[in-house]
Amino acid sequence: MISGWGLEVGGRQDWRLVPAALVVWPATMAGLLLGWWWTAVAGLVGVAVGVVVLVRFRGRSALARWWCRGMAWSLLVCGLLVTLAGTVRLRAVAEDPIRALAGAGASAVVRVEVTERPKPVFSAGFGGQQGGVWSVVVPARVVSAVVAGRPVDSTGAVVVIASADRWRALLPGQLVTATAAMAPAKPGGMTVAVLRVRGPPEAVTEAPVWQRVAQTLRAGLTDAAAVLDPEPRGLLPALVVGDTDELPQHVVEEFQAAGLAHLLAVSGSNLAIVCVAVLLLLRTLRCGPRTAAAGAMLALAGFVVLAGPEPSVLRAGVMGAVGLLALAVGRQRAALPALAVAVIVLVLWDPAMAVSIGFALSVLATGGLVLIAPRWADRLAARGVPRGLAEALAVPAAAHLVTAPVVAGFAGEVSLVAVVANLLAAPVVAPATVLGVLAAVVAPVTSWPAEVLVRVAGPEAEWLILVARHASGVPGAVIGWPGGWLGGVLLAGCVGLLVAALRRRWLRTLVGVLLTGLLVVVVPLRVIAPGWPPDGWAVVACDVGQGDALVLATGDAGRAVVVDTGPEAAPLDGCLDRLDVSRVPLVVLSHLHADHVGGLDAVLADRAVGAVGLSRAREPRWAWEEVRSKAHEAGVSVVQLTAGQRLAWPELVIEVLAPDEEEVMPRAESDGTEINNASLVLRATTPAGRVLLSGDVELSAQARLLDARVDLSADVIKVPHHGSRYTSPELFSAARARIALVSVGAGNRYGHPSPFTLRLLARTGALVLRTDKGGDTAIVATEAGPKAVTRGASRAPPGRAAKPP
């Protein structure tokens, strides 16, 4: 029996409600994906099956008759509900007039009710646009709409995309008016349109009192967490209420790679932790089961309000409420019926749940805990494993096993470290959550007890960050897998075959031998001797997405010069870790666009840095102030570089070719081209040959270099501006490079690299290497000259970028 995870299950499970859930869920899914009429068809099939079972299959025993009647009546009732109520709702959504107007690209004045808290959208910096959260997504419901002076009758669900500074503070329940450009919503859901709003919300009403109270509690937790370091400060509100606003983006990515992303959103585990804590407290005070369940129900309701009416919170709340009701009436082992009831109620109440990946993961994970984990824990305990350890191993393994096919189909990858990472994280999640909830409750009353509670929760948050960072950094932690339905079904088949195979002793032995063989062969190839970085690397172009970041070896172990830092810290940090770079005598920022300076924290945070080198350009101003502030905080000096300077290390010499002292620097009103043309142009002499580092120089700056007869000859050229079309053939002719490096993000919306530039390079005979295709790219020295070695493209999607300069 598993009891330490918020569930108490064991023995024979009651399956009577499961067929009804399997009618409601697929029927609604079919209606959303294929057409509303399919819901009626599937619901009537369920009704027919219920009638047949009720009439024909009476069973030979009283138990069998009881089971058949229960299943049949649940099929009849749920089939009729989904046929009548579900079909009406889905048809109304399909025929909503806003949907047709959105398809035509109409504009409207809309009055909407906010239904969920605004969700921030992180954008990686590019050009003069600073990286960060500049927009929010606000789920809402239409109250009224006017298109071309005519009212439109609609109450459909919409998604509002608006600026963060004006819309981020809205709360569920508030009514707002805005002028919006409408666009079609993604098919297969309940949303009828996407509303793009540029202006501020108007005629904003006051939020309901409980929402204002909840916001006060959330703000109190955030304020109290300010006593912690930046990373745990952002993680604690995410653990407690799913608020990731203050959590650094690289930490979010580490949790995703480690299979711990579920900790950053409110789920059933949060509710289970809170409810179990209240239950234990009330039982310690000798309250009866029903009183304890009622107290836990109140705590559950309060936590749902605190976290906000998000879909994940509501589905967890329904599941917890049904479970507590079962406890109150004395049926502690009714977890499977509780899960079936949760599925039926949630899908009928919100049909969008039927196509929600989060909902599917929640249901599957709970089912794994109910059906698989207890048996695995019993078998491990029977083989001598301590009971607590057996449960700790069985729970994450079962949850990961049943959810892996959905994750693989959705994300196109499989995590190999998720089970171990969750096992290591589990002991501290409950204490951190309970302490965070207590801090949120007391913070509005008095601050110092909340700060004490937060300080006690701090080590737990730091441990979770440590686990995520090391798990995500394991070579081969995430492997690629076919995406879509095919990939999910394929992995489900593999998992099913594996489980079936493990039921026979000789197959278990065979699987053990195969896994041992894989460990002997794959681990040395992928971990012990991963082949990266290659021996003797002189230059590495890091795969940092749509930006530049190059690392030049100095000849001293662990010591390298970094030229540009990309748009975000995490990709560069990973690249430097893989290269084992711990000392950086100089960070050169070719110019102050966000895709070249955004990852500066990766170098300054955990490495010894000598100086940050810049040209005389100080635009964009925000970037200059940010670089100067970060360097000051790290105790690193900022130095100016200009043409004619020469910097040397044992196996590296850097010459500054441009700009010179006489060149006019960009002003505050300068556009992106002027800032690009002020880029530092460097030539590095390395054991692998000469490397021309051209920043983002465009045609006029290239012409100045050529007119001044600057020696641009090199063995390797870093192609300017991510392969933009604004590159002259004469530049490539002057360089005469054998290898051309293009640092560019996969799927970028700027058309980089330009086909025109690629054709120019092809005419020179240079080998073109792109980071979006080959990932980190190293240049190594050989007797025949420079040789390129690629690590392989990252599967991570590129960050969103702003409009190009």
Side-chain angles (χ1 to χ4, degrees):
M1 182 179 293
I2 291 183
S3 57
W5 297 82
L7 294 173
E8 188 166 342
V9 300
R12 187 183 299 274
Q13 291 292 335
D14 186 347
W15 289 78
R16 289 177 299 162
L17 292 176
V18 172
L22 293 179
V23 167
V24 172
W25 190 358
T28 307
M29 182 185 297
L32 288 171
L33 298 178
L34 303 177
W36 59 266
W37 55 88
W38 283 102
T39 299
V41 172
L44 290 174
V45 170
V47 171
V49 172
V51 171
V52 170
V53 171
L54 195 62
V55 173
R56 299 291 301 275
F57 297 93
R58 299 183 179 276
R60 297 182 179 179
S61 64
L63 179 62
R65 288 192 296 272
W66 169 80
W67 198 95
C68 289
R69 282 198 301 269
M71 184 188 72
W73 279 110
S74 66
L75 281 171
L76 277 170
V77 172
C78 292
L80 287 172
L81 283 174
V82 76
T83 299
L84 300 175
T87 301
V88 170
R89 291 188 65 185
L90 294 187
R91 182 178 181 180
V93 170
E95 298 177 354
D96 192 293
I98 290 287
R99 186 183 292 275
L101 292 168
S107 295
V109 177
V110 293
R111 182 75 169 166
V112 298
E113 179 185 358
V114 178
T115 55
E116 298 179 27
R117 281 187 291 157
K119 297 175 174 61
V121 178
F122 179 82
S123 298
F126 187 81
Q129 177 66 57
Q130 187 177 10
V133 174
W134 300 108
S135 59
V136 291
V137 173
V138 187
R141 180 184 62 82
V142 175
V143 175
S144 64
V146 177
V147 179
R150 297 180 178 179
V152 178
D153 184 19
S154 172
T155 57
V158 294
V159 170
V160 180
I161 300 176
S163 61
D165 58 338
R166 298 172 176 179
W167 290 74
R168 197 171 188 173
L170 293 178
L171 294 173
Q174 288 186 285
L175 298 176
V176 301
T177 300
T179 301
M182 296 192 292
K186 182 180 178 181
M190 297 291 286
T191 303
V192 299
V194 175
L195 308 182
R196 300 183 183 276
V197 179
R198 291 191 175 183
E202 299 175 352
V204 181
T205 63
E206 193 172 39
V209 63
W210 59 86
Q211 291 291 350
R212 299 199 303 273
V213 171
Q215 179 59 24
T216 301
L217 295 177
R218 290 192 295 264
L221 174 61
T222 302
D223 293 341
V227 299
L228 302 176
D229 291 336
E231 290 183 349
R233 176 197 312 163
L235 179 60
L236 190 59
L239 281 175
V240 177
V241 294
D243 182 1
T244 59
D245 286 5
E246 302 297 326
L247 190 61
Q249 185 66 18
H250 68 273
V251 177
V252 175
E253 294 168 356
E254 288 167 349
F255 271 71
Q256 291 171 344
L260 297 173
H262 60 91
L263 297 179
L264 306 181
V266 177
S267 63
S269 62
N270 300 73
L271 287 163
I273 289 167
V274 172
C275 291
V276 167
V278 173
L279 281 171
L280 291 176
L281 175 62
L282 293 176
R283 294 308 296 268
T284 302
L285 297 175
R286 299 191 177 184
C287 297
R290 296 188 179 186
T291 303
M297 187 75 78
L298 289 175
L300 184 149
F303 187 82
V304 168
V305 173
L306 171 65
E310 313 293 327
S312 63
V313 180
L314 293 175
R315 67 173 176 256
V318 171
M319 179 65 195
V322 175
L324 288 172
L325 181 62
L327 176 62
V329 300
R331 297 187 62 189
Q332 294 91 341
R333 297 181 180 180
L336 188 59
L339 177 60
V341 169
V343 170
I344 294 167
V345 170
L346 285 169
V347 173
L348 289 174
W349 176 75
D350 183 6
M353 293 279 187
V355 291
S356 166
I357 297 296
F359 178 70
L361 293 175
S362 177
V363 172
L364 290 172
T366 305
L369 297 180
V370 171
L371 301 174
I372 300 175
R375 298 177 183 178
W376 285 6
D378 290 341
R379 291 179 181 176
L380 288 173
R383 287 172 170 78
V385 178
R387 188 71 202 183
L389 179 59
E391 293 182 358
L393 290 171
V395 167
H400 184 62
L401 180 76
V402 297
T403 57
V406 176
V407 174
F410 174 71
E413 59 187 29
V414 176
S415 174
L416 302 181
V417 298
V419 173
V420 176
N422 278 276
L423 179 62
L424 294 173
V428 302
V429 172
T433 302
V434 172
L435 290 167
V437 170
L438 291 175
V441 171
V442 303
V445 180
T446 177
S447 60
W448 71 263
E451 292 177 358
V452 170
L453 291 167
V454 164
R455 289 187 184 278
V456 176
E460 289 91 329
E462 291 173 353
W463 170 253
L464 291 173
I465 293 170
L466 183 69
V467 170
R469 184 153 297 157
H470 283 79
S472 63
V474 173
V478 178
I479 61 172
W481 191 266
W485 288 95
L486 177 62
V489 172
L490 178 62
L491 186 58
C494 293
V495 169
L497 290 174
L498 178 63
V499 172
L502 293 178
R503 298 176 68 89
R504 298 181 179 275
R505 182 182 297 275
W506 69 274
L507 286 175
R508 286 200 299 269
T509 303
L510 178 61
V511 170
V513 171
L514 290 175
L515 289 176
T516 302
L518 287 173
L519 289 174
V520 170
V521 175
V522 175
V523 169
L525 290 178
R526 296 292 300 274
V527 181
I528 299 174
W532 191 264
D535 293 336
W537 65 272
V539 181
V540 171
C542 297
D543 180 11
V544 293
Q546 185 66 10
D548 276 2
L550 293 101
V551 185
L552 292 82
T554 63
D556 296 328
R559 194 167 180 238
V561 171
V562 175
V563 179
D564 289 327
T565 62
E568 301 175 70
L572 178 58
D573 189 47
C575 182
L576 294 175
D577 283 345
R578 291 188 292 271
L579 298 174
D580 198 24
V581 172
S582 58
R583 295 174 295 157
V584 180
L586 179 65
V587 183
V588 179
L589 302 177
S590 64
H591 61 298
L592 292 172
H593 272 161
D595 50 321
H596 293 255
V597 305
L600 184 58
D601 284 337
V603 188
L604 297 178
D606 300 314
R607 294 172 176 87
V609 179
V612 176
L614 300 165
S615 72
R616 291 185 293 114
R618 297 293 183 265
E619 297 297 334
R621 198 68 185 178
W622 67 261
W624 161 243
E625 297 293 346
E626 185 176 276
V627 168
R628 185 171 62 175
S629 173
K630 290 180 178 180
H632 177 73
E633 291 176 3
V636 175
S637 59
V638 177
V639 299
Q640 183 173 304
L641 302 178
T642 190
Q645 286 182 294
R646 186 175 183 273
L647 309 168
W649 292 271
E651 293 184 2
L652 174 66
V653 175
I654 294 180
E655 304 167 75
V656 183
L657 305 182
D660 57 31
E661 291 285 356
E662 298 179 357
E663 189 168 328
V664 177
M665 291 292 104
R667 301 173 300 279
E669 64 273 15
S670 298
D671 61 14
T673 295
E674 291 185 50
I675 295 171
N676 286 339
N677 283 327
S679 294
L680 285 167
V681 179
L682 313 173
R683 185 170 59 187
T685 302
T686 74
R690 296 200 292 187
V691 182
L692 182 62
L693 305 172
S694 56
D696 276 2
V697 290
E698 297 186 21
L699 294 173
S700 61
Q702 296 166 22
R704 283 195 299 269
L705 287 166
L706 295 167
D707 292 344
R709 299 185 182 278
V710 176
D711 182 9
L712 300 176
S713 61
D715 299 285
V716 179
I717 183 174
K718 197 286 296 181
V719 178
H721 201 189
H722 324 293
S724 144
R725 69 183 304 272
Y726 301 111
T727 306
S728 67
E730 292 78 10
L731 177 71
F732 294 141
S733 298
R736 302 189 303 277
R738 300 166 60 179
I739 299 174
L741 299 175
V742 185
S743 185
V744 65
N748 72 84
R749 62 181 184 179
Y750 314 118
H752 295 161
S754 165
F756 172 77
T757 302
L758 294 178
R759 286 195 297 270
L760 292 180
L761 288 167
R763 291 173 192 166
T764 68
L767 172 65
V768 179
L769 297 166
R770 300 165 47 171
T771 55
D772 63 333
K773 302 291 188 182
D776 295 349
T777 302
I779 305 298
V780 299
T782 69
E783 293 182 358
K787 173 186 174 183
V789 180
T790 59
R791 179 174 176 267
S794 169
R795 295 186 60 83
R800 292 185 179 89
K803 183 179 179 180

